[in-house]
Amino acid sequence: MSFLQLVRIILARRILIAATILGCVVLGLLAIAVLPTRYEANSRVLLDLVKPDPVTQQVLQTNFARAYITTQSELITDYRVMGKVVDALGWTKDPTKIAEYQRSDAPGKVEIRRWLAEALIANTQAKPLVDSNIMQISYRGRTPDEARRIADLIRESYVEQSIAFRQEGALRNAQWFRQQAGKIAQELRTVEGRKSGFEKQNGVVLQSDYSDPDSERLKALAGQVPMQGPSFVPPPASSPSSIQLAQVDAQISALSTSLGPNHPQILALRQQRVVLASAATQERASALAAARAASSVGGAPIASQVAAQQARVLAQRGKIDELRKIQAQVDVLRDQYNKTMARAGELSLEAASRESGLTLLGNAVAPDTPISPRVIPILLGAIGGGIGLGLIFAVISELFRRRVRSAEDLSTEAVPIIGRLMSGVA
């Protein structure tokens, strides 16, 4: 069938095509009249993905941002969120809603609260705006005010539920950490009791730096052993009188360059020097005697004390090593207990926090025009569908009742046309 033949068929069946188009338009108008009017209101919330958590100071990684946004979209249309909206609207006690529920097939299968929540979910859509952290919550209602009110209620319920989820999770984790801290504390008391019993049984103790008093005493005695034998007498330290004597000599030497030998100040300093020299000689003699006495007493006796103390340290080395192991367990358990309790405290603070990580971006606005039914798209679709159906009906009708409308309808291969019969009847 050529294009020219198709045009002739359309012209011949134009009444059928027009009737089909008119019928589709009528059906479209009926659909516009029957379909319920819906208004869509939008409410927005900012997801604080970059700002650190005020309690934990954690920042959401970029790799998990997409999954987080998808999770929040699903959470908005969750039953726990929508159930709160149903409660806020009071629909479970509304006679109109109760009557709609009774007329449906839901009684006996689904409770009224869930049935109403499912109706809200069906008219709600949550999606992030392109290239942003803004989540847009859209709700389609029967009236502009209903759409605006419910969109805001969904957002408020979503924020409250987000806070509840975080608080419940933090509280649950805090309880778990406290339970673990209790187990660690019990084990710590057991190990500390074992340490105390070991110390009493073996007569050994450890200091805070893991050293034992016997080893420290050995170090102190070893430092008192003379390095050059008992005949060595260390030189006495400088006495106060000798230090003052040196200072007076320095003053006399400095003043002698500008004053004469018989100057009253020079004479006074020389008299003071005589007194200081005598005192320094006596102090030096006393110090030397004390050093000799200490040297005569501190040779062999100190060495014997060192040997005895060394034997004591060697005898208790195994006990000290075992005590150090027990002390290490005590320190590890104490550190675990402190960290566990610190984490439990952080989680308790997080459970008491009202921070949701969400920022409200203004309230929804009541829409002026309905979003459905869409009159123009429906009419255009009806006209297009009518044209398509009209063409199909015209072609089918032509196939069932074939007519010769031009010479082309009779032309066949290798058979020439020898004449044409013109008629005024189409």
Side-chain angles (χ1 to χ4, degrees):
M1 182 182 295
S2 65
F3 177 74
L4 186 59
Q5 289 176 319
L6 180 61
V7 172
R8 290 194 181 101
I9 292 174
I10 293 174
L11 293 176
R13 305 291 181 180
R14 58 184 178 275
I15 297 177
L16 175 61
I17 295 174
T20 304
I21 294 174
L22 180 61
C24 290
V25 171
V26 172
L27 290 177
L29 293 175
L30 289 176
I32 292 173
V34 172
L35 290 175
T37 304
R38 295 291 180 181
Y39 294 86
E40 184 177 83
N42 299 317
S43 185
R44 296 179 177 181
V45 61
L46 175 63
L47 306 178
D48 296 331
L49 302 180
V50 181
K51 186 174 67 174
D53 189 275
V55 179
T56 62
Q57 297 300 315
Q58 295 180 353
V59 180
L60 185 66
Q61 298 295 329
T62 307
N63 301 336
F64 301 101
R66 185 181 300 275
Y68 174 78
I69 292 175
T70 304
T71 303
Q72 298 305 306
S73 300
E74 295 297 327
L75 177 60
I76 291 172
T77 55
D78 185 71
Y79 171 68
R80 292 186 62 174
V81 175
M82 293 303 178
K84 296 292 185 182
V85 177
V86 172
D87 296 338
L89 292 171
W91 280 0
T92 54
K93 300 179 181 179
D94 187 354
T96 303
K97 297 296 181 182
I98 296 175
E100 292 178 1
Y101 172 73
Q102 295 295 336
R103 288 194 299 268
S104 67
D105 58 350
K109 300 179 181 179
V110 182
E111 61 177 350
I112 184 172
R113 186 173 184 265
R114 180 172 286 275
W115 183 76
L116 293 171
E118 292 294 336
L120 290 175
I121 293 173
N123 293 307
T124 303
Q125 184 179 15
K127 61 181 180 180
L129 299 183
V130 180
D131 297 332
S132 70
N133 296 335
I134 298 176
M135 182 70 68
Q136 178 170 282
I137 302 171
S138 304
Y139 180 77
R140 295 183 179 182
R142 298 177 181 177
T143 63
D145 185 67
E146 179 187 85
R148 175 196 60 78
R149 181 188 177 193
I150 295 180
D152 285 339
L153 285 176
I154 293 174
R155 184 181 64 173
E156 293 174 5
S157 177
Y158 161 60
V159 173
E160 290 297 325
Q161 198 60 49
S162 299
I163 296 174
F165 280 144
R166 295 188 61 175
Q167 289 179 339
E168 290 173 4
L171 185 60
R172 184 168 55 252
N173 292 332
Q175 293 176 351
W176 184 85
F177 272 97
R178 287 196 179 92
Q179 292 176 358
Q180 299 304 312
K183 296 179 181 178
I184 295 174
Q186 183 177 1
E187 186 177 359
L188 178 60
R189 287 191 293 268
T190 303
V191 177
E192 286 180 339
R194 184 156 59 92
K195 174 195 170 187
S196 178
F198 187 86
E199 290 175 342
K200 294 178 180 179
Q201 182 179 358
N202 297 278
V204 292
V205 293
L206 284 180
Q207 297 179 357
S208 59
D209 58 350
Y210 278 54
S211 62
D212 62 292
D214 290 332
S215 297
E216 294 297 322
R217 178 175 176 79
L218 177 60
K219 292 179 182 179
L221 290 174
Q224 296 179 11
V225 176
M227 300 299 297
Q228 300 182 13
S231 61
F232 172 74
V233 179
S238 299
S239 63
S241 299
S242 62
I243 295 174
Q244 294 179 8
L245 180 62
Q247 294 175 354
V248 170
D249 289 339
Q251 291 179 3
I252 292 174
S253 177
L255 293 176
S256 297
T257 58
S258 58
L259 301 177
N262 296 322
H263 192 276
Q265 189 173 358
I266 297 291
L267 294 176
L269 288 174
R270 286 177 178 175
Q271 292 178 0
Q272 185 179 359
R273 186 186 184 283
V274 173
V275 176
L276 290 174
S278 176
T281 301
Q282 294 178 1
E283 291 175 355
R284 190 180 296 109
S286 300
L288 185 59
R292 289 175 177 174
S295 176
S296 63
V297 177
I302 291 181
S304 62
Q305 293 179 20
V306 170
Q309 187 66 23
Q310 186 176 7
R312 178 180 176 86
V313 170
L314 292 175
Q316 294 183 347
R317 174 166 295 179
K319 299 177 181 179
I320 293 298
D321 291 341
E322 182 64 23
L323 184 59
R324 284 173 180 165
K325 294 179 182 179
I326 299 175
Q327 182 64 44
Q329 294 179 5
V330 171
D331 293 341
V332 169
L333 291 173
R334 186 176 290 118
D335 183 65
Q336 290 179 354
Y337 176 79
N338 293 333
K339 291 181 178 179
T340 305
M341 287 302 298
R343 182 56 180 159
E346 292 178 358
L347 290 170
S348 297
L349 183 61
E350 184 177 352
S353 174
R354 293 282 301 171
E355 179 63 31
S356 62
L358 305 172
T359 302
L360 305 184
L361 299 179
N363 297 327
V365 178
D368 297 329
T369 57
I371 194 173
S372 67
R374 298 182 178 181
V375 178
I376 295 178
I378 290 177
L379 291 179
L380 292 177
I383 294 172
I387 293 173
L389 288 176
L391 292 175
I392 293 174
F393 290 157
V395 172
I396 293 175
S397 177
E398 187 68 19
L399 291 177
F400 279 105
R401 298 181 61 185
R402 185 70 173 169
R403 293 186 180 185
V404 178
R405 303 186 185 279
S406 64
E408 296 177 355
D409 296 338
L410 297 176
S411 63
T412 59
E413 296 182 0
V415 178
I417 298 175
I418 60 177
R420 295 183 180 183
L421 179 62
M422 305 300 294
S423 175
V425 181

